[in-house]
Amino acid sequence: MKVGIVGASGYSGEVLVKLLLAHPRVTLAAVTSRTHAGKPLAAVIPSVRGADRGLTFTDSDAAALAASDIELFFLALPHGAAATYARALVAGGKRVIDLSADFRIAKLETYTKYYGEHHAPELLPHARFVLPELTAPGWKDEVKLVAAPGCYPTSILVPLVPLLKANVITREHIVVNSYSGVSGAGKKAEEMYLYVERAESIKAYGLAKHRHLAEIEEQLALHTGAPTIIQFNPHLAPMRRGIATTITVPASPGGTIEQLYAAWRQAYAGRPFVQILPAGETPDSAHVVGTNRVDMSAVHDPRTGNFVITSVEDNLVKGASGQAVQIMNLWCGFPETAGL
Amino acid sequence: MKVGIVGASGYSGEVLVKLLLAHPRVTLAAVTSRTHAGKPLAAVIPSVRGADRGLTFTDSDAAALAASDIELFFLALPHGAAATYARALVAGGKRVIDLSADFRIAKLETYTKYYGEHHAPELLPHARFVLPELTAPGWKDEVKLVAAPGCYPTSILVPLVPLLKANVITREHIVVNSYSGVSGAGKKAEEMYLYVERAESIKAYGLAKHRHLAEIEEQLALHTGAPTIIQFNPHLAPMRRGIATTITVPASPGGTIEQLYAAWRQAYAGRPFVQILPAGETPDSAHVVGTNRVDMSAVHDPRTGNFVITSVEDNLVKGASGQAVQIMNLWCGFPETAGL
Amino acid sequence: MKVGIVGASGYSGEVLVKLLLAHPRVTLAAVTSRTHAGKPLAAVIPSVRGADRGLTFTDSDAAALAASDIELFFLALPHGAAATYARALVAGGKRVIDLSADFRIAKLETYTKYYGEHHAPELLPHARFVLPELTAPGWKDEVKLVAAPGCYPTSILVPLVPLLKANVITREHIVVNSYSGVSGAGKKAEEMYLYVERAESIKAYGLAKHRHLAEIEEQLALHTGAPTIIQFNPHLAPMRRGIATTITVPASPGGTIEQLYAAWRQAYAGRPFVQILPAGETPDSAHVVGTNRVDMSAVHDPRTGNFVITSVEDNLVKGASGQAVQIMNLWCGFPETAGL
Amino acid sequence: MKVGIVGASGYSGEVLVKLLLAHPRVTLAAVTSRTHAGKPLAAVIPSVRGADRGLTFTDSDAAALAASDIELFFLALPHGAAATYARALVAGGKRVIDLSADFRIAKLETYTKYYGEHHAPELLPHARFVLPELTAPGWKDEVKLVAAPGCYPTSILVPLVPLLKANVITREHIVVNSYSGVSGAGKKAEEMYLYVERAESIKAYGLAKHRHLAEIEEQLALHTGAPTIIQFNPHLAPMRRGIATTITVPASPGGTIEQLYAAWRQAYAGRPFVQILPAGETPDSAHVVGTNRVDMSAVHDPRTGNFVITSVEDNLVKGASGQAVQIMNLWCGFPETAGL
């Protein structure tokens, strides 16, 4: 099966290229980039030298891609741009997995508030936010277009959703602190992201208004049937990849750590990409870099009555490209772990 | 005035050596270390090569130090060991500034619970925890022995105390996430602290039971007149120095961001080592490394009703040795910023 | 085909475990470790959580391993210990690929000078140092035991050997500066390798007497037919993985950059793991981390008459475990790139 | 005495600001920047918050600065721009210390070859390259304008000049490999200098044609009376600050390590900023960051007949701003170490 990547020159595009080049069931047949059209793949992504099968960046012409024999496209584009390509490709009968925010939010109004005008609102009913471990399996037959979840949301939804559904935790006073490697900001040539500025530095940003809130809270509500407001505090940490999320949330009256683990075990039994660590053993972001996993654990603090939950993932793999490949695997009937 | 350091071979000892060698009002007359006795200072702390005034590590003989003409001693020792030296030195009429936990906790029972047996409990009534910006000025004449605050506690108490006193925030649902550079763990040759293990890694540790809680909560109670329980989530971050603390706390009914800033400004007017940044401008740990400052700011989140407060400091300076020098400056009548 | 790893708890053991777990042609059937016997693989190597096929560390009993149905063993042990296991396993008819120095040096006398007593000297005639891109293909049928090359030697031999053979460079005044990530020192809990000591630091070590010289110079002599002495200056660099080697060597009289590239192209035509970059485009160690490649390029400096050659590799992959897997692939008739 | 900085918003400008704010003998009276005019100093250089004496960036108007009561100016500008300011300020009777390349090269022809047109060639006879430990003391009375040496050249000239003068080493086959922290590239918002690109990466650059060669070789010739060509291989290393230089050079016939150390000791006796380490103890770049020192040592390799010399410095202090302050101290009759 032939697949293509539209916009493969950023950090998640790069990881996607590597995953798809090594994938046993698909052939990466096209990589496009407006900036790099005409350049060999390895000239832009030197880590694939010798393994790039001679691929060359082509121009991102939507009509040409829609007319090609490629069956499935990944969009690794900025939001806004993604919607435009999605329209053409869906119209051409292609399957589309979008890594941008354009189809992550079901409510147009919420999208508009956080991101501005939507460029393909008519596709929203045909799109679906799919977090494979949480989304009910039926999605595979219903959709033309899948939105892969964002990096922060994945690290938050995976631990929280089963606990809210099982009423093990309260819906109030949920406090989430996330620390992301610098690749989370994308490949932007800005002073703030220079090596000298970010090395040996931790800094909060986007407090009280981060865009990922839209997606996180909509998903929490959809999965658990009630509006849920969280405090989300994102930070930049001095590392290239990885997200570490620490969630503090009051236990429900009578809620125990055993119930918490039971809810997790039930939700994620047999899911290879969610690893549940024993209470007291905290996950380490370095252990998941390069993998498609979320590792997580929790403790109960009897002094405060809170659970403290920690989860880690690779922001570019389970938080972006790996999850997109996992979605493809499920959608196309490949083994879930193929190429991961 | 002659000063000495007992136990100068760890990371805070090293910073203390540098600060005291360059201090305009005191002469560093002795540095002791059981391990390094007999070695030139610069052989153990190479960053002071050429500026070490020919100092050599001597053995840590408490009686000899107590009989010397040195007027003030800093103890940069593990807890437990510090108490023993403090006893001998105080008995010899010396001023003592202790950087360990031994005299940070006024209640013997609390100390015992977190640290085990106390080796000089009779000194507790004569000792004082001094955080210069928070402790009432009278302490200078009352004490023989000062406990310098711990690194995490400083980054938490400085923002919180004025807000609790001013009733701008609630006393419940205080959630503190702190991220410390690896030097916070000391110079320990353990696998966990190897470069390869810690680089590109974030990891929570000590959840629900960190020793610094004893000190933080005792101080919060002493300053604000009521018991206060916090959720304290410490983490290791991939950097050498620096602490970044993010505090989420509900605003009191009617509490506004203006009141929060007013409380801070009143508490810290004219204090050079507390820098209050405008709401929305988050502090960066890298900007305070090498300084004796706490930089902090806050925002109000209307969605949750919380304040999100961020503070940063250098764990080895304001969180340890710089603060100890600041204490000495105040105790001995030097300008507060001398040598800092 | 079943394979096993003896001594899988260090950094190259960890990489080897990951490569073999994902390898399409072999089954990792045993991992041994004296320290970790009885622990699940993922408890010691958390990065393989969920992908460890339930493997548990077993004791490193040489006789039991020799009697097992495992056909090929990798030894990821310190030198000295490796020889003892090699003796038992070879006697048991197993194929052995040794990642230590024990069988890298053909001359016993040289081994003894650099490493001390050899524990299985009778095996030396049956062992072979195999750098797949340089060793003549016949080795596959001749040996019982293969020594995988060291990390520094690989980054030096790959660029130098074809140039010496082609007489493009002189045999004198070869100056090699290599910079290695900290994992090159192994997983040693020593102060020197702590995060705080190594971050933001570069330091030379082992000048004029590094053990890898024995292996490098013996190979240069074997391949080129004449003794060759080099200046080898190793350094520690503040990164986890990767080696960057810069070689300065006078061009032979009349030697041109075109001849240099021609010699390289001839030697490495069709070899996927040696990537030759154009003159002027210098390789970056980060681009090869996680790959089994050597990337290299060269420039001619008309001012000095020297070539300046730069090569990079991942010290744990092409410099250790990846190369060992490549050797297995060739030895067992698998595709050279299988699992890499 | 009042001093000013023209162009204080780059990395060496930032270090210069800190050094001068804390200097006991001068008052920093003006900091200029075209980009930042009107902003408070601490808004641009947050590390000086609370210690910035209320300074505000002013516009870089050369005529106004020349007419001010400021006696000495530091130019922390790109080459080309510096010459223009130097002309106006020297005409106004000011002392000028230039941190750019504009007056480092005595020969106009050499400057033009490496940097293009010179904007104030008439000042060249009145300017002087001053490396305080090497330049003959008479310079203080002869010049109007001092060029502070570059970062790489300082780390190379300090070890080499005394050895060439003493004929302990040959003048041929000098091979210099230098590894610089990323701040050496300046505060440039380019992809190459992003955190994600530079972390965990080593890369050579500018091989066979680095601009600093002009300055290094001119100085070697001036000091030693004969043209000297070196191989200079600069690299970027994953750290913020620091340069580590490793020099391989054949010993002169009969030249011994004792003679080498004797030449160094004679040249640098009583110089606090050059620290000579024993043979076999290699300097570490981390030990000099934040200091104005060069630490260096050497070994003799009997196998090759070479000396291997290693030197380290902080590229922003001894390699730029600290050395500029040291020059000011000597020029103005302050203690050489004042403020350093």
Side-chain angles (χ1 to χ4, degrees):
Chain A
M1 188 179 123
K2 288 189 182 176
V3 301
I5 306 175
V6 184
S9 59
Y11 291 127
S12 49
E14 180 175 332
V15 170
L16 198 48
V17 163
K18 286 193 230 179
L19 290 172
L20 294 173
L21 281 173
H23 197 285
R25 303 291 291 267
V26 303
T27 301
L28 179 59
V31 285
T32 83
S33 157
R34 268 183 311 172
T35 333
H36 297 302
K39 291 188 202 164
L41 188 56
V44 177
I45 307 179
S47 52
V48 301
R49 273 189 197 120
D52 67 350
R53 301 211 204 112
L55 280 166
T56 293
F57 277 96
T58 57
D59 208 354
S60 309
D61 183 69
L65 296 171
S68 73
D69 64 347
I70 293 170
E71 292 180 50
L72 185 150
F73 284 93
F74 296 90
L75 308 182
L77 294 163
H79 65 88
T84 310
Y85 280 90
R87 176 180 283 160
L89 294 170
V90 167
K94 309 302 184 189
R95 300 191 194 206
V96 174
I97 299 175
D98 179 18
L99 283 81
S100 88
D102 278 352
F103 300 98
R104 287 180 187 155
I105 296 157
K107 255 196 194 162
L108 181 57
E109 184 191 333
T110 310
Y111 181 91
T112 312
K113 182 176 154 201
Y114 280 87
Y115 293 95
E117 193 194 349
H118 198 292
H119 295 299
E122 81 284 3
L123 284 180
L124 284 175
H126 307 287
R128 188 75 176 276
F129 175 100
V130 174
L131 205 165
E133 285 84 2
L134 291 175
T135 306
W139 65 267
K140 287 158 220 169
D141 309 316
E142 296 164 11
V143 298
K144 296 180 176 175
L145 165 55
V146 175
C151 51
Y152 287 127
T154 298
S155 79
I156 296 166
L157 294 169
V158 169
L160 276 187
V161 165
L163 305 184
L164 283 167
K165 287 171 85 168
N167 284 315
V168 180
I169 58 173
T170 71
R171 204 171 284 279
E172 266 142 43
H173 297 297
I174 301 179
V175 176
V176 178
N177 279 261
S178 289
Y179 290 72
S180 171
V182 184
S183 62
K187 209 180 209 172
K188 288 185 206 135
E190 297 177 10
E191 237 178 53
M192 185 179 177
Y193 304 115
L194 291 178
Y195 182 87
V196 178
E197 302 301 313
R198 296 271 53 81
E200 300 272 315
S201 156
I202 288 207
K203 185 184 169 63
Y205 73 98
L207 295 179
K209 56 180 180 211
H210 194 280
R211 279 170 163 173
H212 278 170
L213 271 172
E215 172 185 349
I216 299 166
E217 293 185 350
E218 190 180 85
Q219 288 298 316
L220 289 176
L222 287 172
H223 279 286
T224 70
T228 309
I229 301 295
I230 67 166
Q231 188 69 52
F232 173 53
N233 304 329
H235 301 72
L236 276 180
M239 52 196 195
R240 290 182 302 173
R241 290 163 71 161
I243 280 183
T245 286
T246 296
I247 305 173
T248 299
V249 54
S252 293
T256 65
I257 188 77
E258 289 74 23
Q259 289 170 0
L260 180 151
Y261 271 85
W264 276 355
R265 289 210 187 92
Q266 190 182 343
Y268 298 120
R271 304 306 303 239
F273 296 130
V274 176
Q275 292 291 319
I276 302 167
L277 278 60
E281 186 177 336
T282 46
D284 184 324
S285 69
H287 296 161
V288 295
V289 167
T291 82
N292 196 46
R293 299 200 319 256
V294 172
D295 283 8
M296 62 189 190
S297 73
V299 292
H300 181 256
D301 187 343
R303 302 167 61 261
T304 59
N306 291 326
F307 291 120
V308 182
I309 298 162
T310 48
S311 73
V312 296
E313 66 173 23
D314 184 331
N315 59 308
L316 297 180
V317 184
K318 184 63 178 169
S321 303
Q323 189 146 258
V325 170
Q326 184 186 1
I327 289 166
M328 175 188 75
N329 287 343
L330 296 170
W331 206 2
C332 301
F334 307 147
E336 185 172 5
T337 59
L340 295 167
Chain B
M1 188 178 122
K2 288 188 182 175
V3 301
I5 307 175
V6 184
S9 58
Y11 291 127
S12 50
E14 180 174 334
V15 171
L16 198 48
V17 162
K18 285 192 230 177
L19 290 172
L20 293 173
L21 281 172
H23 197 285
R25 303 292 290 267
V26 303
T27 301
L28 179 59
V31 285
T32 84
S33 157
R34 268 184 311 172
T35 333
H36 297 302
K39 290 187 202 163
L41 188 56
V44 177
I45 307 179
S47 53
V48 301
R49 274 189 194 119
D52 66 350
R53 301 210 206 109
L55 279 167
T56 293
F57 275 96
T58 57
D59 207 356
S60 307
D61 183 70
L65 297 171
S68 73
D69 63 345
I70 293 170
E71 291 180 50
L72 185 150
F73 282 93
F74 296 89
L75 307 182
L77 294 162
H79 66 87
T84 309
Y85 280 90
R87 177 180 280 160
L89 294 170
V90 167
K94 308 305 187 188
R95 299 191 194 208
V96 174
I97 298 174
D98 179 19
L99 282 81
S100 88
D102 277 352
F103 300 97
R104 285 179 188 156
I105 296 156
K107 255 195 193 161
L108 181 57
E109 184 192 334
T110 309
Y111 180 90
T112 312
K113 182 176 154 201
Y114 280 88
Y115 294 95
E117 193 194 349
H118 199 292
H119 295 299
E122 81 283 2
L123 282 180
L124 284 174
H126 307 287
R128 189 74 177 275
F129 175 100
V130 173
L131 205 165
E133 285 83 3
L134 290 176
T135 307
W139 65 269
K140 287 160 219 167
D141 308 318
E142 295 163 11
V143 298
K144 294 180 176 173
L145 166 54
V146 175
C151 51
Y152 286 128
T154 298
S155 79
I156 296 166
L157 295 170
V158 167
L160 276 189
V161 166
L163 305 184
L164 284 167
K165 289 170 85 167
N167 286 315
V168 180
I169 58 174
T170 71
R171 204 172 284 278
E172 266 142 44
H173 297 298
I174 302 180
V175 176
V176 178
N177 279 262
S178 289
Y179 290 72
S180 171
V182 184
S183 63
K187 209 182 209 169
K188 288 186 206 135
E190 299 176 8
E191 238 178 53
M192 185 180 176
Y193 303 116
L194 292 178
Y195 182 86
V196 178
E197 302 301 314
R198 296 269 54 80
E200 299 272 317
S201 157
I202 289 206
K203 186 184 169 63
Y205 72 99
L207 295 179
K209 58 182 181 209
H210 195 280
R211 280 171 163 174
H212 278 169
L213 271 172
E215 171 186 350
I216 298 166
E217 294 186 351
E218 189 180 87
Q219 288 297 316
L220 288 176
L222 287 171
H223 278 287
T224 69
T228 310
I229 302 294
I230 67 166
Q231 188 68 54
F232 173 52
N233 304 329
H235 301 70
L236 276 180
M239 53 195 194
R240 290 183 303 173
R241 291 162 70 159
I243 281 182
T245 287
T246 296
I247 305 172
T248 299
V249 54
S252 293
T256 64
I257 189 77
E258 290 75 24
Q259 288 169 359
L260 181 151
Y261 270 85
W264 275 356
R265 289 211 186 88
Q266 191 182 343
Y268 299 120
R271 303 308 301 241
F273 297 130
V274 176
Q275 293 291 319
I276 302 166
L277 278 60
E281 185 178 334
T282 46
D284 183 325
S285 70
H287 295 160
V288 295
V289 167
T291 82
N292 196 47
R293 297 199 323 254
V294 172
D295 283 9
M296 61 190 191
S297 73
V299 292
H300 181 255
D301 186 342
R303 300 169 60 263
T304 59
N306 292 325
F307 292 119
V308 181
I309 299 163
T310 49
S311 73
V312 296
E313 66 174 22
D314 184 332
N315 59 309
L316 298 180
V317 184
K318 184 63 176 171
S321 303
Q323 190 145 261
V325 169
Q326 184 186 0
I327 289 166
M328 175 188 76
N329 287 344
L330 296 170
W331 206 3
C332 300
F334 307 146
E336 184 172 6
T337 58
L340 295 166
Chain C
M1 187 177 123
K2 288 191 185 175
V3 301
I5 307 175
V6 184
S9 59
Y11 291 127
S12 48
E14 180 174 334
V15 170
L16 197 49
V17 162
K18 285 192 230 177
L19 290 172
L20 293 174
L21 282 172
H23 197 284
R25 303 291 289 268
V26 302
T27 300
L28 179 59
V31 286
T32 83
S33 157
R34 269 182 310 170
T35 333
H36 298 302
K39 293 188 201 162
L41 188 57
V44 177
I45 307 179
S47 51
V48 300
R49 272 188 196 120
D52 66 350
R53 301 212 204 112
L55 280 167
T56 294
F57 276 97
T58 56
D59 207 355
S60 308
D61 183 69
L65 297 170
S68 72
D69 65 345
I70 293 170
E71 293 179 50
L72 183 152
F73 284 93
F74 295 90
L75 307 182
L77 295 162
H79 65 88
T84 309
Y85 280 91
R87 176 181 284 162
L89 294 169
V90 167
K94 308 303 185 190
R95 297 191 194 207
V96 174
I97 298 174
D98 179 18
L99 283 81
S100 86
D102 277 352
F103 300 97
R104 285 180 189 155
I105 297 157
K107 256 197 194 160
L108 180 58
E109 183 192 334
T110 309
Y111 181 91
T112 312
K113 181 176 155 200
Y114 279 88
Y115 293 95
E117 193 194 348
H118 198 291
H119 295 299
E122 80 283 4
L123 284 179
L124 284 174
H126 308 285
R128 188 75 176 274
F129 176 99
V130 174
L131 205 166
E133 285 83 2
L134 291 176
T135 306
W139 65 268
K140 287 159 220 168
D141 310 316
E142 297 163 11
V143 297
K144 297 180 176 177
L145 167 54
V146 175
C151 51
Y152 287 127
T154 299
S155 78
I156 296 165
L157 294 170
V158 169
L160 276 189
V161 166
L163 305 185
L164 283 167
K165 287 170 86 168
N167 284 316
V168 181
I169 58 174
T170 71
R171 204 172 283 278
E172 265 142 44
H173 298 296
I174 301 180
V175 176
V176 178
N177 279 261
S178 289
Y179 290 72
S180 171
V182 184
S183 63
K187 211 181 208 171
K188 288 188 206 133
E190 299 176 8
E191 236 177 54
M192 185 178 175
Y193 304 116
L194 292 177
Y195 182 86
V196 178
E197 301 302 314
R198 295 270 54 82
E200 301 270 317
S201 157
I202 288 207
K203 184 182 171 62
Y205 72 98
L207 295 179
K209 59 183 178 209
H210 194 281
R211 280 172 163 173
H212 277 170
L213 271 172
E215 170 185 351
I216 299 165
E217 294 185 351
E218 189 180 86
Q219 288 297 316
L220 289 176
L222 287 172
H223 279 287
T224 69
T228 310
I229 302 297
I230 67 165
Q231 188 69 53
F232 174 51
N233 304 328
H235 301 71
L236 276 179
M239 53 195 196
R240 291 183 303 173
R241 290 162 71 159
I243 282 182
T245 288
T246 297
I247 304 172
T248 300
V249 54
S252 292
T256 66
I257 188 76
E258 290 73 23
Q259 288 170 359
L260 181 152
Y261 271 85
W264 276 356
R265 290 211 186 89
Q266 189 182 345
Y268 300 120
R271 305 307 302 241
F273 296 130
V274 175
Q275 293 291 318
I276 302 166
L277 279 60
E281 186 178 334
T282 47
D284 184 325
S285 69
H287 295 161
V288 294
V289 167
T291 81
N292 195 47
R293 297 201 322 255
V294 172
D295 283 10
M296 61 188 191
S297 73
V299 291
H300 181 255
D301 187 343
R303 300 168 61 262
T304 60
N306 292 326
F307 292 119
V308 182
I309 299 162
T310 49
S311 72
V312 297
E313 66 174 21
D314 184 330
N315 58 308
L316 298 179
V317 185
K318 184 63 178 170
S321 303
Q323 188 145 262
V325 170
Q326 185 186 359
I327 290 166
M328 175 189 74
N329 288 344
L330 295 171
W331 206 1
C332 300
F334 306 147
E336 184 171 7
T337 59
L340 294 167
Chain D
M1 187 178 124
K2 288 188 183 174
V3 301
I5 306 175
V6 184
S9 58
Y11 292 127
S12 49
E14 181 174 332
V15 170
L16 198 49
V17 161
K18 285 192 230 178
L19 290 172
L20 294 173
L21 282 172
H23 197 285
R25 303 292 290 268
V26 303
T27 301
L28 180 59
V31 284
T32 83
S33 157
R34 268 182 312 170
T35 334
H36 297 301
K39 291 188 201 161
L41 187 57
V44 177
I45 307 178
S47 52
V48 301
R49 275 189 194 118
D52 66 348
R53 303 212 203 108
L55 280 167
T56 292
F57 276 96
T58 57
D59 208 355
S60 308
D61 182 71
L65 296 171
S68 73
D69 64 346
I70 293 170
E71 290 180 52
L72 183 152
F73 283 93
F74 295 89
L75 308 181
L77 294 163
H79 66 88
T84 310
Y85 280 90
R87 176 181 279 160
L89 294 170
V90 167
K94 308 303 184 189
R95 297 190 195 209
V96 174
I97 299 174
D98 179 19
L99 282 82
S100 87
D102 278 352
F103 300 98
R104 286 180 187 156
I105 296 157
K107 255 196 194 161
L108 180 57
E109 185 192 333
T110 309
Y111 181 91
T112 312
K113 182 176 154 200
Y114 280 87
Y115 294 96
E117 192 193 351
H118 199 293
H119 296 298
E122 81 284 3
L123 283 180
L124 284 175
H126 307 287
R128 188 74 177 275
F129 176 99
V130 173
L131 203 165
E133 285 83 2
L134 289 176
T135 307
W139 66 267
K140 289 160 217 167
D141 310 317
E142 296 162 12
V143 298
K144 295 180 176 173
L145 167 55
V146 174
C151 51
Y152 287 128
T154 298
S155 79
I156 296 165
L157 295 169
V158 168
L160 275 190
V161 166
L163 304 184
L164 284 167
K165 289 169 84 168
N167 284 314
V168 180
I169 58 174
T170 70
R171 203 172 285 278
E172 265 142 43
H173 297 297
I174 302 179
V175 176
V176 178
N177 279 262
S178 289
Y179 290 73
S180 171
V182 184
S183 62
K187 209 181 209 170
K188 287 186 208 134
E190 297 177 9
E191 236 178 54
M192 185 180 175
Y193 303 115
L194 291 178
Y195 182 85
V196 178
E197 301 300 314
R198 296 268 53 81
E200 300 272 316
S201 156
I202 289 206
K203 187 184 168 61
Y205 72 99
L207 295 178
K209 59 184 178 207
H210 195 281
R211 279 170 165 175
H212 277 170
L213 271 173
E215 172 186 349
I216 298 166
E217 294 185 350
E218 188 180 88
Q219 288 296 316
L220 288 176
L222 287 171
H223 279 286
T224 69
T228 310
I229 302 295
I230 66 167
Q231 188 68 53
F232 173 51
N233 304 329
H235 301 72
L236 276 180
M239 53 195 195
R240 291 183 303 173
R241 289 161 72 158
I243 282 182
T245 288
T246 296
I247 305 172
T248 299
V249 54
S252 292
T256 65
I257 189 76
E258 289 74 25
Q259 288 169 0
L260 179 152
Y261 271 84
W264 276 356
R265 289 211 186 90
Q266 189 181 345
Y268 299 120
R271 303 308 301 242
F273 296 130
V274 177
Q275 293 290 319
I276 301 166
L277 277 61
E281 186 177 336
T282 46
D284 184 325
S285 70
H287 295 160
V288 296
V289 166
T291 81
N292 196 47
R293 296 200 322 256
V294 172
D295 283 9
M296 62 189 190
S297 73
V299 291
H300 180 255
D301 187 341
R303 301 168 61 263
T304 59
N306 290 326
F307 292 120
V308 181
I309 299 163
T310 48
S311 72
V312 296
E313 65 172 23
D314 183 333
N315 59 307
L316 298 179
V317 184
K318 184 63 178 170
S321 303
Q323 188 145 263
V325 169
Q326 183 186 0
I327 290 166
M328 174 188 77
N329 287 343
L330 295 170
W331 205 3
C332 300
F334 306 147
E336 185 172 5
T337 59
L340 294 167

